């Protein structure tokens, strides 16, 4: 048991207590951030004359060696240390002797861990954002190629009106774009440095907190030391953004699963992204989409868990906060994995355009347009709705589509119909006449695609 705080104690810690308290098994994940933070701290201590130039140089050199030894596998992080902070400090003291003991001057593990977690989360915000950007590029590519790929749009999972695949994909583009904006907001709010908050009340040493903040790319120091050590809002915000990303991925997955089913066959998932059954040879299952949908619960769980952990904690630091790590790391890794895999699945997925088109033709998706035709010829909308309702009933009875009816049959229900009705209710017309901003018409869609393309170049 290697502990930083033995002095005040007369008895050894009970082994079970030690194990229960220790965090090294998971906080080793931010060994890099811990060392980076220590280097910044020591650099500032040197600048302020709290350490001599030689002490500062010696500690920094040694910290860098510890970092490369860990990264290149020469130094293992083992459970004999309580946490990653103890591991780094103990190794520094082993190598440097008394000078190493000066590392922790003017610092507490409370502000140290607050810094490490913030640095780690900040990096994860950027990684997640980069993955979302790649996913958006895949979606945009599909949009560009499919402004004329007609498919049914659904409400209540019932065929509603014809749209295009580009339009459908465009909806997800908007969702993931908002997710990126959320990440940017979080970054802006969280990018302040808690180091120098001390245990809770700052320190008596003349630390230059602006300088440490600047060294690590923060906008500045946090402005209240009690809040500095006990704020986990940024993590809750990030987990909330992650939960929303997962919700979007899960909805998308659900559609892929439906589209990939035998009944729909709108898409075919690439062999590399599907799995088989151990008993049914014909099976090709959409497991990746199902797993993404399933893992959404885990990420929601992390958010709820942290909100609950934080809700009863008095100021300032309390050990409950150690519970912020495992679940957050799990959620962060899960979200990154899901975005990357979903992106791979989407990029390799084949869209069965004929099936989509046939499905759009088959479900009276042009009924609204038939009613609009009547309205354009002077029939009040409510009457037109009733007339087309009768037409639909007639078609269901005969097992045909509106387009299959002869002009005589149509005229028998309403004399207003003329030869041009067929053109007016063709799938192409239905889609391409919808030209309001955000609608599926080709021209409207192309404007949006051009704007999104520019957005992705930024
Ligand atoms: N492992 C601790 C955590 O993750 C580090 C801070 C320990 N501070 C303390 N006062 N015991 O929160």
């Amino acid at each position: 048991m290697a502990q930083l705080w033995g002095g005040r104690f007369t008895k050894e810690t009970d082994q079970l207590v030690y194990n229960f308290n220790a965090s090294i098994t998971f906080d080793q994940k931010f060994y890099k951030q811990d060392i980076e933070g220590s280097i910044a701290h020591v650099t500032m201590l040197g600048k302020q004359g709290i350490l001599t130039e030689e002490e500062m140089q010696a500690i920094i050199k040694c910290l860098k060696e510890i970092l490369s030894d860990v990264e290149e596998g020469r130094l293992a992080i083992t459970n004999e240390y309580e946490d990653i902070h103890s591991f780094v400090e103990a190794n520094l003291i082993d190598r440097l002797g008394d000078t190493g003991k000066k590392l922790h001057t003017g610092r507490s593990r409370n502000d140290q861990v607050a810094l490490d977690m913030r640095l780690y989360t900040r990096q994860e915000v950027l990684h997640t954002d980069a993955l979302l950007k790649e996913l958006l590029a895949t979606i945009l590519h599909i949009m560009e190629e499919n402004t004329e790929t007609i498919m049914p749009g659904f409400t209540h999972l019932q065929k509603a009106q014809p749209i295009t695949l580009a339009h459908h994909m465009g909806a997800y583009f908007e969702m993931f774009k908002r997710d990126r904006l959320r990440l940017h907001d979080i970054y802006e709010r969280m990018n302040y440095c808690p180091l120098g908050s001390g245990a809770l009340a700052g320190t008596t040493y003349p630390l230059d907190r602006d300088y440490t903040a600047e060294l690590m790319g923060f906008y500045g120091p946090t402005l209240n030391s009690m809040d500095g050590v006990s704020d986990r809002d940024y993590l809750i915000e990030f987990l909330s953004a992650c939960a929303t990303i997962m919700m979007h991925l899960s909805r998308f997955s659900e559609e892929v699963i439906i589209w990939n089913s035998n009944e729909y066959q709108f898409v075919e998932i690439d062999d590399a992204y599907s799995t088989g059954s151990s008993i049914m040879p014909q099976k090709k299952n959409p497991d990746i989409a199902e797993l993404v949908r399933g893992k959404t619960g885990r990420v929601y769980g992390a958010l709820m868990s942290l909100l609950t952990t934080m809700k009863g904690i008095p100021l300032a630091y309390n050990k409950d906060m150690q519970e912020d790590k495992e679940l957050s790391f799990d959620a962060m890794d899960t979200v990154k994995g899901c975005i990357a895999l979903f992106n791979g699945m989407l990029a390799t997925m084949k869209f069965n355009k004929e099936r989509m088109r046939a499905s759009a033709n088959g479900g009276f998706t042009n009924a609204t347009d038939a009613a609009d035709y009547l309205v354009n010829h002077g029939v009040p909308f409510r009457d037109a709705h009733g007339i087309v309702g009768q037409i639909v009933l007639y078609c269901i009875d005969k097992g045909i589509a509106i387009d299959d009816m002869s002009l005589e049959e149509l005229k028998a229900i309403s004399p207003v119909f003329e030869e041009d009705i067929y053109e007016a209710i063709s799938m192409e017309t239905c889609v391409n006449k919808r030209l309001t901003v955000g609608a599926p018409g080709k021209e409207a869609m192309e404007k949006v695609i051009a704007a999104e393309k520019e957005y992705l170049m930024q």
Side-chain angles (χ1 to χ4, degrees):
M1 298 189 209
Q3 287 157 332
L4 300 172
W5 38 264
R8 186 225 183 277
F9 288 75
T10 52
K11 262 186 166 176
E12 276 278 301
T13 318
D14 180 273
Q15 186 63 47
L16 284 178
V17 172
Y18 181 82
N19 296 346
F20 191 65
N21 190 48
S23 52
I24 187 91
T25 51
F26 47 88
D27 64 17
Q28 57 181 274
K29 193 139 175 129
F30 50 52
Y31 72 88
K32 212 178 185 160
Q33 286 74 16
D34 193 75
I35 294 174
E36 184 197 339
S38 288
I39 290 175
H41 181 62
V42 167
T43 307
M44 179 275 295
L45 293 179
K47 174 176 118 28
Q48 296 301 94
I50 301 166
L51 294 183
T52 66
E53 176 74 19
E54 298 71 51
E55 287 169 334
M56 174 188 86
Q57 295 296 357
I59 295 176
I60 291 175
K61 182 165 171 281
C62 197
L63 284 171
K64 287 184 175 163
E65 281 164 12
I66 292 173
L67 180 61
S68 59
D69 285 353
V70 170
E71 301 216 298
E72 283 151 38
R74 288 186 294 271
L75 178 61
I77 303 174
T78 61
N79 294 358
E80 68 186 285
Y81 304 93
E82 180 188 341
D83 53 31
I84 191 65
H85 326 298
S86 317
F87 166 83
V88 174
E89 191 174 323
N91 275 281
L92 186 74
I93 294 169
D94 272 357
R95 295 175 185 205
L96 267 189
D98 282 350
T99 308
K101 293 182 182 164
K102 297 190 174 182
L103 167 68
H104 212 52
T105 313
R107 188 174 71 171
S108 156
R109 274 187 298 169
N110 296 353
D111 58 347
Q112 187 178 359
V113 78
L115 170 71
D116 293 0
M117 196 60 188
R118 213 177 268 238
L119 284 172
Y120 189 86
T121 306
R122 185 175 73 173
Q123 162 206 290
E124 290 302 288
V125 168
L126 295 177
H127 283 170
T128 308
D129 182 60
L131 286 167
L132 282 178
K133 192 171 183 190
E134 285 174 27
L135 176 59
L136 285 175
T138 303
I139 295 174
L140 190 64
H141 181 70
I142 299 172
M143 288 167 73
E144 284 180 295
E145 305 218 308
N146 290 286
T147 53
E148 292 177 20
T149 306
I150 290 173
M151 65 180 288
F154 296 84
T155 61
H156 314 271
L157 207 51
Q158 308 269 325
K159 289 178 197 174
Q161 290 174 344
I163 53 161
T164 63
L165 180 57
H167 191 239
H168 199 116
M169 289 291 132
Y172 285 104
F173 194 99
E174 293 305 311
M175 294 182 225
F176 294 120
K177 193 166 112 182
R178 284 196 297 275
D179 287 330
R180 291 192 69 203
L181 287 171
R182 263 184 281 278
L183 295 180
H184 293 165
D185 285 352
I186 293 167
Y187 187 99
E188 290 301 301
R189 247 189 316 282
M190 75 173 288
N191 197 28
Y192 292 87
C193 183
L195 193 65
S197 297
L200 76 162
T203 78
T204 53
Y205 298 96
L207 306 187
D208 184 345
R209 292 194 61 205
D210 288 293
Y211 184 61
T212 0
E214 193 190 313
L215 285 176
M216 290 181 282
F218 287 106
Y219 297 146
T222 53
L223 293 186
N224 181 290
S225 57
M226 303 256 281
D227 180 53
V229 289
S230 63
D231 166 31
R232 298 294 181 272
D233 290 5
Y234 68 91
L235 206 48
I236 289 172
E237 286 191 36
F238 183 43
L239 290 178
S240 166
C242 286
T244 308
I245 293 169
M246 290 304 294
M247 181 266 288
H248 292 154
L249 283 176
S250 185
R251 291 183 72 178
F252 208 162
S253 293
E254 172 70 7
E255 298 210 287
V256 169
I257 293 162
I258 293 173
W259 291 353
N260 186 63
S261 67
N262 254 319
E263 287 66 26
Y264 275 76
Q265 293 176 33
F266 281 9
V267 299
E268 192 185 335
I269 299 175
D270 195 78
D271 276 3
Y273 285 88
S274 27
T275 52
S277 156
S278 60
I279 176 167
M280 297 166 283
Q282 83 282 12
K283 287 282 213 130
K284 204 176 132 184
N285 297 327
D287 289 32
I288 297 305
E290 289 170 23
L291 274 170
V292 169
R293 191 178 58 182
K295 285 174 191 289
T296 303
R298 244 163 92 170
V299 178
Y300 287 7
L303 171 63
M304 286 318 297
S305 174
L306 186 59
L307 278 168
T308 311
T309 298
M310 293 304 294
K311 85 177 183 55
I313 303 184
L315 289 174
Y317 178 85
N318 294 265
K319 200 58 176 263
D320 318 39
M321 289 174 183
Q322 181 167 288
E323 286 297 309
D324 64 355
K325 292 174 198 63
E326 284 164 287
L327 54 94
S328 299
F329 293 152
D330 181 71
M332 291 167 184
D333 289 345
T334 300
V335 172
K336 282 191 300 183
C338 286
I339 302 172
L341 273 152
F342 193 94
N343 188 16
M345 178 182 70
L346 189 64
T348 52
M349 201 160 76
K350 283 197 187 61
F351 294 93
N352 190 342
K353 299 183 185 182
E354 289 72 40
R355 286 284 301 193
M356 289 179 161
R357 167 78 202 217
S359 172
N361 273 338
F364 303 108
T365 55
N366 50 2
T368 314
D369 295 81
D372 288 346
Y373 173 93
L374 293 172
V375 170
N376 289 332
H377 289 76
V379 182
F381 180 76
R382 197 43 63 207
D383 292 342
H385 189 283
I387 292 167
V388 177
Q390 282 179 51
I391 290 176
V392 169
L393 257 185
Y394 180 87
C395 288
I396 291 173
D397 191 47
K398 294 222 148 35
I400 56 174
I402 304 178
D403 322 52
D404 298 329
M405 288 173 72
S406 69
L407 191 55
E408 289 66 45
E409 286 174 297
L410 286 166
K411 273 186 174 299
I413 298 177
S414 169
V416 178
F417 287 117
E418 294 298 340
E419 194 56 44
D420 60 350
I421 176 64
Y422 298 105
E423 167 67 21
I425 61 169
S426 79
M427 290 293 123
E428 281 70 20
T429 312
C430 292
V431 166
N432 289 325
K433 271 198 157 172
R434 289 183 155 74
L435 290 173
T436 41
V437 176
K442 191 166 192 277
E443 280 169 40
M445 213 50 241
E446 275 167 355
K447 279 186 202 143
V448 169
I449 289 174
E452 304 296 28
K453 222 172 171 173
E454 217 160 274
Y455 155 76
L456 272 192
M457 303 233 256
Q458 288 160 24

